[in-house]
Structures are given as structure tokens and as C-alpha cells.
Amino acid sequence: RAPADVAASSSSRRRRRVVAMVDMKSLFEAERARRIEAKRATAAAEETSSSNADEIRAAPAPCDLSPRTPLRLADHAVGADRGVAGLHYVPDFLSADEEAAVLRG
């Protein structure tokens, strides 16, 4: 091998080692702490808020979806034969009019 090839392959090996050494446990613990703090902040904001429950209204839906027939997701599984559980494709789930209404949102 040429010296440049050896240097390139050793640097790519070093990069792979750095990626492989990610401490997932500490990442999960940090994310858990962040979520707990976010819940505390939300709860504190709700306690100090003086909003009246009668004044709170839900935003209207961007569109009314037409009624659907019941559907079995098992009939629409597309990933099971490739080892991807929970991947489904439902063709024409939205009509063209519903899609346009959702995009206008």
C-alpha cells in the first residue's frame, strides 16, 4: 500500500473506534434527567398560571377527515419479511382533498 492509503485507513479506523465508544448509559441518564426537569418546569408553570379552564379552547382541526372503514394493520405490514417490525403502508389513507386541507393547515 501507498503511505497515503495506510494513513487514510488508520484514520478511518480511529474514527470508527470513537463512534463505538459512545457511552449510551450516560446519554440515557442525561436524557432522563432532562425530561424530568422539563416536567417539573411545566408543572411549575401550570401552577403559577392563572388561566381559567373555561377560556382554554382546543384549536380547530385543519380539516375533517371522511369516515374510514376499520383497518387491520397486519394486512398492511411491509417490513416483516425484511426484519423491520411495525412498518406498515396504507395506500390512499388520505384523499387528495384531505391532503390539500392538511397541508394548508
Side-chain angles (χ1 to χ4, degrees):
R1 280 196 210 176
D5 293 338
V6 172
S9 69
S10 68
S11 69
S12 65
R13 268 188 256 135
R14 267 186 262 135
R15 268 185 266 144
R16 277 189 231 128
R17 274 191 228 125
V18 170
V19 171
M21 295 167 60
V22 172
D23 184 2
M24 296 303 289
K25 183 178 178 182
S26 67
L27 290 174
F28 284 128
E29 289 171 351
E31 178 62 14
R32 182 180 295 123
R34 186 193 66 78
R35 288 182 181 210
I36 289 170
E37 182 55 35
K39 280 184 182 180
R40 283 187 191 135
T42 301
E46 287 174 357
E47 287 177 10
T48 59
S49 162
S50 62
S51 66
N52 185 351
D54 293 335
E55 295 174 8
I56 298 173
R57 304 244 189 294
C63 69
D64 291 323
L65 299 178
S66 61
R68 304 284 194 273
T69 58
L71 126 90
R72 286 189 45 210
L73 283 179
D75 297 338
H76 300 281
V78 294
D81 58 337
R82 292 179 180 86
V84 182
L87 181 61
H88 303 85
Y89 174 70
V90 180
D92 301 321
F93 184 72
L94 292 176
S95 70
D97 293 338
E98 291 169 337
E99 178 185 3
V102 168
L103 293 174
R104 275 192 311 270

